[in-house]
């Protein structure tokens, strides 16, 4: 069967394959949280949440929530053997201090320079930033998971972000609904693409040049 | 030394008009609902305190806690990182009508500014927000080839805190993720008032388990079985 593009679950699955056993990982609120579900068998990452828990578990059954035990998205979570609590300054020391192995975030736009825009779509309404600007600094790898294009078909991978920036030169890898792309030396380097998609087609959906370095792998993801 | 006080009303007495108030909690977790509501009671009875600057991660949810303070017109300015919530209408309407000011601070910067305020560090450099709109007007410096933004400490006249156990010296423990901003805010206010679920005698908290040492605490009041903002909101509660 030919896939036209990956579902969100499939993008999350692909990102999860690159997380090592024992890695300390922060998943952004919303779509990135899905990555936790797709850890390969035998690997167990330790998840960090900004409000002050390391190694938290899944959501409890409805009715068994303890509202003192939530994640950064303010959803109820559970503890695992080996969990730890800490205050907010320690939590963001973990973030900015280079102690996280991976941070995975969503994006409105990613530039070939690694600039990320994911917190604001402009001056309308009430601005809210949360921990996004902190999370893009300090993790050893800052990865983005995203649709390759916007709902109206515009590229999300661009030469330069036009939306307000979250951080400058911070993203190292992008997992999209069509491809896996690294950011190296201010360029998008194509690592994997859906086999059914030609290079030209992928380039036409991308707002900056895709560099080829060595083989481009097939992006193959199970049905989920 | 005995920092215990008997009533919530006594706990929030002495907070004046125009005061800067740090309020602990992340969303509803760790939010000192009873202290906040006691402050609202005082405002409704006396017209004071008003024109408050409130420092919290959020800007209220529903119609209880900080949202209720805003709804009553006690708050002039919010300093927070994420003024959105499941039901942010109270803040949103006033903000869009220009009736309340907002200083938006990245979450980790907010925590560190409060920590710095409590630790006597007037300013520090962070990579967070470099090159973004939130760094506008702030000094920038390069250290070891990377650029950083200067941020200043945050201090308050009063901190309203929720903790789990407290002893008469003000030594505190917290409950799970309700710790969040509370220990930092304890350090950064002129006067730190704490509601605890249980007051225990001196020696009742293992010194190894103390999270906030009593030196950072001015007064504590027992509120057994404190209310949870999340549950109040799910029940559609409003205050008063």
């Amino acid at each position: 069967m030919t896939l036209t593009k990956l579902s969100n679950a499939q993008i999350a699955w692909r990102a999860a394959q690159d997380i090592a056993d024992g890695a300390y990982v922060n998943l952004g609120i919303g779509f990135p949280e899905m990555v936790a579900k797709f850890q390969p068998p035998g690997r167990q990452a330790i998840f960090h949440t900004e409000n002050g828990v390391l190694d938290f578990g899944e959501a409890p059954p409805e009715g068994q929530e303890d509202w003192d035990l939530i994640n950064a998205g303010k959803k109820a979570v559970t503890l695992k053997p080996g969990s730890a609590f800490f205050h907010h300054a320690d939590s963001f020391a973990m973030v900015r201090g280079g102690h996280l192995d991976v941070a995975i975030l969503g994006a409105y736009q990613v530039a070939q320079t690694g600039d990320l825009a994911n917190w604001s779509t402009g001056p309308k309404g009430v601005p809210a930033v949360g921990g996004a600007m902190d999370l893009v600094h300090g993790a050893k790898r800052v990865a983005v998971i995203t649709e390759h294009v916007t709902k109206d078909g515009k590229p999300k991978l661009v030469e330069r972000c036009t939306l307000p920036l979250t951080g400058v030169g911070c993203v190292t890898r992008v997992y999209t609904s069509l491809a896996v792309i690294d950011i190296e030396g201010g360029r998008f380097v194509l690592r994997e693409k859906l086999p059914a998609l030609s290079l030209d087609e992928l380039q036409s959906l991308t707002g900056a040049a895709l560099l080829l370095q060595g083989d481009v792998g097939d992006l193959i993801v199970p049905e989920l | 030394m005995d920092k215990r006080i008997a009533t919530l009303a006594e706990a929030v007495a002495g907070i004046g008009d125009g005061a800067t108030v740090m309020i602990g909690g992340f969303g509803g977790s760790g939010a000192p609902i009873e202290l906040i509501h006691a402050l609202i009671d005082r405002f409704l009875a006396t017209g004071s305190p008003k024109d408050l600057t409130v420092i919290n991660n959020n800007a209220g949810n529903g119609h209880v806690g900080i949202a209720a303070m805003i709804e009553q017109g006690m708050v002039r300015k919010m300093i927070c990182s994420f003024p959105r919530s499941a039901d942010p209408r109270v803040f949103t309407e006033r903000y869009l009508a220009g009736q309340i000011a907002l200083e938006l601070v990245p979450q980790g910067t907010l925590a560190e500014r409060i920590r710095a305020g409590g630790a006597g560090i007037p300013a520090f450099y962070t990579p967070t927000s470099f090159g973004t709109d939130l760094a506008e007007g702030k000094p920038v410096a390069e250290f070891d080839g990377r650029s950083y933004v200067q941020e200043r400490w945050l201090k308050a006249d009063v901190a309203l805190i929720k903790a789990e156990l407290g002893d008469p010296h003000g030594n505190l423990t917290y409950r799970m993720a309700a710790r969040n901003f509370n220990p930092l805010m304890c350090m950064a206010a002129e006067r730190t008032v704490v509601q605890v679920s249980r007051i225990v005698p001196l020696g009742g908290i293992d010194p190894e388990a103390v999270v906030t040492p009593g030196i950072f605490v001015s007064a504590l009041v027992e509120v057994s079985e404190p209310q949870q903002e999340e549950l109040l909101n799910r029940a559609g509660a409003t205050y008063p």
Side-chain angles (χ1 to χ4, degrees):
Chain A
M1 181 191 144
T2 307
L3 282 170
T4 49
K5 65 166 190 156
L6 301 184
S7 66
N8 276 0
Q10 288 176 310
I11 302 170
W13 181 92
R14 177 62 191 86
Q17 307 314 301
D18 290 345
I19 298 176
D21 187 39
Y24 287 93
V25 180
N26 184 292
L27 301 176
I29 294 171
F31 173 24
E33 290 177 59
M34 216 188 263
V35 172
K37 287 202 292 200
F38 298 116
Q39 288 188 86
R43 285 193 231 165
Q44 202 164 25
I46 294 176
F47 294 103
H48 164 269
T49 185
E50 295 94 302
N51 57 308
V53 193
L54 263 180
D55 208 12
F56 61 95
E58 300 173 354
E62 200 167 329
Q64 288 177 40
E65 299 94 345
D66 183 326
W67 294 106
D68 282 341
L69 184 56
I70 59 175
N71 64 13
K74 306 197 173 76
K75 296 195 192 92
V77 295
T78 50
L79 295 178
K80 301 205 293 201
S83 294
F85 298 124
F86 36 88
H87 62 59
H88 244 76
D90 280 353
S91 182
F92 281 90
M94 294 173 196
V95 170
R96 289 180 310 252
H99 307 286
L100 291 176
D101 295 295
V102 191
I104 299 181
L105 302 125
Y108 298 137
Q109 292 176 322
V110 184
Q112 61 184 353
T113 52
D115 294 0
L116 174 67
N118 81 344
W119 76 283
S120 168
T121 52
K124 274 193 299 185
V126 179
V129 65
M133 285 189 185
D134 304 281
L135 278 171
V136 297
H137 296 287
K140 293 182 185 83
R141 292 202 299 123
V142 176
V144 158
I145 56 174
T146 180
E147 287 284 333
H148 200 86
V149 296
T150 64
K151 285 201 179 74
D152 34 358
K154 295 207 181 71
K156 296 183 82 167
L157 277 62
V158 294
E159 285 186 355
R160 188 172 300 175
C161 295
T162 53
L163 292 169
L165 291 183
T166 307
V168 174
C170 50
V171 177
T172 55
R173 174 167 268 206
V174 188
Y175 302 93
T176 80
S177 46
L178 305 178
V180 177
I181 294 165
D182 281 336
I183 293 173
E184 287 176 11
R187 301 289 302 272
F188 288 130
V189 180
L190 181 62
R191 296 298 180 199
E192 297 173 17
K193 67 169 183 59
L194 290 182
L197 196 69
S198 75
L199 274 174
D200 285 349
E201 284 172 311
L202 184 64
Q203 182 61 73
S204 73
L205 297 167
T206 309
L210 291 169
L211 197 66
L212 302 182
Q213 269 178 11
D215 290 343
V216 175
D218 285 340
L219 175 53
I220 294 171
V221 174
E223 297 283 343
L224 293 167
Chain B
M1 180 183 286
D2 190 349
K3 297 180 179 175
R4 292 174 292 179
I5 49 177
T7 66
L8 286 160
E10 211 182 321
V12 299
I15 301 176
D17 291 351
T20 297
V21 184
M22 287 179 180
I23 300 181
F26 177 87
S29 158
I33 293 294
E34 283 77 7
L35 282 173
I36 297 169
H37 289 176
L39 197 60
I40 293 172
D41 291 347
R42 214 190 104 202
F43 173 76
L44 292 173
T46 68
S48 182
K50 59 180 186 300
D51 294 329
L52 298 174
T53 295
V54 171
I55 301 170
N56 179 266
N57 187 63
N58 305 98
N61 185 11
H63 300 272
V64 298
I66 291 173
M69 285 177 75
I70 294 169
E71 198 158 32
Q72 294 302 325
M74 301 167 68
V75 183
R76 185 183 64 79
K77 179 181 180 183
M78 285 299 315
I79 301 177
C80 68
S81 86
F82 204 77
R84 289 191 205 138
S85 62
D87 178 6
R89 280 175 294 175
V90 168
F91 176 81
T92 301
E93 283 167 16
R94 277 160 187 75
Y95 176 77
L96 295 177
Q99 293 163 352
I100 190 165
L102 170 66
E103 180 179 340
L104 191 71
V105 184
Q107 199 171 326
T109 298
L110 182 65
E112 194 63 17
R113 287 179 67 190
I114 296 166
R115 197 199 71 79
I121 306 289
F124 58 91
Y125 283 91
T126 175
T128 303
S129 92
F130 174 76
T132 76
D133 294 349
L134 297 189
E136 236 166 69
K138 292 173 184 166
V140 166
E142 203 179 290
F143 298 92
D144 298 334
R146 265 188 87 186
S147 297
Y148 297 83
V149 178
Q150 190 193 86
E151 294 282 356
R152 290 183 171 237
W153 61 8
L154 264 179
K155 297 200 267 191
D157 299 301
V158 182
L160 302 181
I161 300 299
K162 182 182 188 181
E164 177 67 1
L165 300 181
D167 71 18
H169 283 183
N171 295 310
L172 304 176
T173 69
Y174 299 88
R175 188 165 178 275
M176 302 202 276
R179 184 179 304 197
N180 54 65
F181 284 90
N182 280 299
L184 307 172
M185 290 180 170
C186 280
M187 299 163 61
E190 202 60 41
R191 178 175 167 77
T192 293
V193 181
V194 186
Q195 66 169 73
V196 297
S197 299
R198 194 153 63 90
I199 293 182
V200 298
L202 290 180
I205 302 174
D206 180 347
E208 298 278 15
V210 170
V211 177
T212 293
I215 191 169
F216 298 124
V217 171
S218 312
L220 67 166
V221 58
E222 187 172 272
V223 177
S224 55
E225 297 179 36
Q227 293 178 293
Q228 278 286 4
E229 185 182 271
E230 181 71 29
L231 295 174
L232 291 173
N233 280 330
R234 282 173 181 235
T238 59
Y239 196 84

